[in-house]
Amino acid sequence: MSQDYICERCGEPAKVAHHKRYITRANINDANITLNWDNLEALCQDCHNKEHHKRAPKLRYGFDADGRIVPPIQKNN
């Protein structure tokens, strides 16, 4: 990695070469996406996980006063 194995977001040791523009079935054969240094970012595992899961809804179950499970409430953005 060209960043000396340092995460470009937090400064911790990097473990992942992340594609800034995600690889898809439509662009997998486009070298400007898959192999272009400008599209790569050195990230630690934690920052990489945050990047890929930042759009996922946070699903947390709770309990009501009687101890019954209450499903998560999904907020519409």
Side-chain angles (χ1 to χ4, degrees), residues 50-67:
K50 287 177 186 175
E51 172 65 30
H52 282 279
H53 300 292
K54 67 183 175 188
R55 292 178 190 89
K58 293 184 176 32
L59 302 178
R60 305 245 356 176
Y61 285 83
F63 298 93
D64 66 14
D66 296 319

Side-chain angles (χ1 to χ4, degrees), residues 5-76:
Y5 298 93
I6 301 299
C7 179
E8 295 182 51
R9 297 190 186 179
C10 73
E12 293 294 318
K15 304 227 184 230
V16 178
H18 169 69
H19 289 85
K20 296 175 190 177
R21 184 166 171 202
Y22 294 177
I23 296 174
T24 66
R25 288 181 182 186
N27 67 23
I28 188 80
N29 293 314
D30 183 347
N32 287 319
I33 303 297
T34 58
L35 302 176
N36 186 339
W37 281 101
D38 292 333
N39 192 41
L40 295 175
E41 181 177 27
L43 296 180
C44 67
Q45 190 66 56
D46 189 45
C47 287
H48 191 253
N49 290 346
K50 287 177 186 175
E51 172 65 30
H52 282 279
H53 300 292
K54 67 183 175 188
R55 292 178 190 89
K58 293 184 176 32
L59 302 178
R60 305 245 356 176
Y61 285 83
F63 298 93
D64 66 14
D66 296 319
R68 292 182 296 245
I69 295 176
V70 177
I73 298 171
Q74 291 190 4
K75 297 176 183 176
N76 294 334

